[in-house]
Amino acid sequence: MSRKTSVRPGGRSARVQASVHAAVRELEAEVGRQALTVPLVAARAGVTPSTIYRRWGDLQELMSDVAVERLRPETAPEDTGSLRSDLEAWAEQFLEEMAAPTGRAYTRDALLGDPDGTNAGQCSAYAAEQIEVILGRAAGRKENAPDVETVLDRVVAPMMYRILFRPEGLDTAYARQLVVGLVGSNDR
C-alpha cells in the first residue's frame, strides 16, 4: 500500500508537497537524478527526512509522485474544428512529449515508485480527461465519435507501448496513422 496521503488544498500538506517537489526539480537540474537522496531533498525543501519517508516511503515513490505531477497536461487540447484534426493534434503533442527522453524518464519514474498502481491510474486519467474534452467538442459539433476507452485502447495504448519498448522511428505520422485508423480519413 502506498504511503502517500491526500493533500488538502492550501494546507500544510500541500505546502510540504510543493516545497519537496520543487526541491526535487531544482536538485535534479543541479546535480542530476543519480545524485538525489532523501536527506539532500529534505534539506533543500526545509523539511526533515522523516517527513519525506512518512509521506512517500522512499526516494523512488517520491520521484514517482513528482513524475506524475510533471506529466499533468498544462492546457486544454487544441480546438482545430473537427474530431479527426483535434485527435491528431493531441496525439502528435502527446507522442512528442512522452517520447522525448524526459517524458520517458518521467513515465518510468511514475511506474517504478508505484506499488499500488495509483500513479499509473492518474497518468491514464490525465489522458482520459484530455480525450473527454475532444470528444465533448465533437459531440457539440454533432460528429460521430468513439468513446474514451476506445481512444485509449486504439491511440494511446499503442503509442505508450512503442514509447516504452520500441521507440525507434516514432514520429507524428505514426500518431496520425493511429487516429485515421480510429476515425477514418474523410472526417476533416
Side-chain angles (χ1 to χ4, degrees):
M1 183 167 146
S2 179
R3 295 181 173 124
K4 290 172 274 194
T5 58
S6 62
V7 176
R8 290 186 331 258
R12 180 182 184 282
S13 184
R15 288 189 303 275
V16 167
Q17 180 177 359
S19 67
V20 170
H21 278 215
V24 168
R25 289 189 301 272
E26 292 165 7
L27 289 166
E28 192 173 22
E30 291 171 22
V31 301
R33 60 190 300 108
Q34 301 305 326
L36 291 181
T37 64
V38 169
L40 187 63
V41 171
R44 174 65 62 96
V47 299
T48 64
S50 64
T51 297
I52 292 175
Y53 290 122
R54 245 189 335 271
R55 181 175 174 99
W56 286 280
D58 59 25
L59 183 61
Q60 197 168 37
E61 284 191 45
L62 170 59
M63 295 299 290
S64 180
D65 194 46
V66 170
V68 169
E69 190 60 35
R70 288 179 141 183
L71 291 170
R72 178 190 307 265
E74 295 178 3
T75 60
E78 183 180 0
D79 186 352
T80 64
S82 77
L83 172 62
R84 179 179 163 201
S85 61
D86 283 0
L87 279 175
E88 283 179 343
W90 180 83
E92 289 171 9
Q93 181 179 356
F94 181 85
L95 179 62
E96 181 181 313
E97 291 173 1
M98 298 301 284
T102 54
R104 287 196 323 270
Y106 294 150
T107 299
R108 282 191 301 273
D109 283 345
L111 298 175
L112 283 173
D114 187 26
D116 63 2
T118 303
N119 289 343
Q122 186 59 56
C123 291
S124 178
Y126 293 155
E129 289 167 5
Q130 295 267 297
I131 293 164
E132 285 173 358
V133 169
I134 293 169
L135 298 180
R137 289 179 190 151
R141 293 187 296 256
K142 308 281 192 248
E143 293 177 274
N144 187 21
D147 61 33
V148 172
E149 292 301 316
T150 300
V151 178
L152 288 170
D153 289 345
R154 301 210 20 219
V155 176
V156 179
M159 283 195 295
M160 288 306 300
Y161 178 85
R162 290 286 307 272
I163 288 165
L164 292 171
F165 302 113
R166 297 179 56 90
E168 303 80 29
L170 281 179
D171 58 15
T172 57
Y174 177 70
R176 286 192 302 271
Q177 171 192 346
L178 292 172
V179 171
V180 167
L182 176 64
V183 299
S185 61
N186 58 357
D187 184 56
R188 274 202 196 257

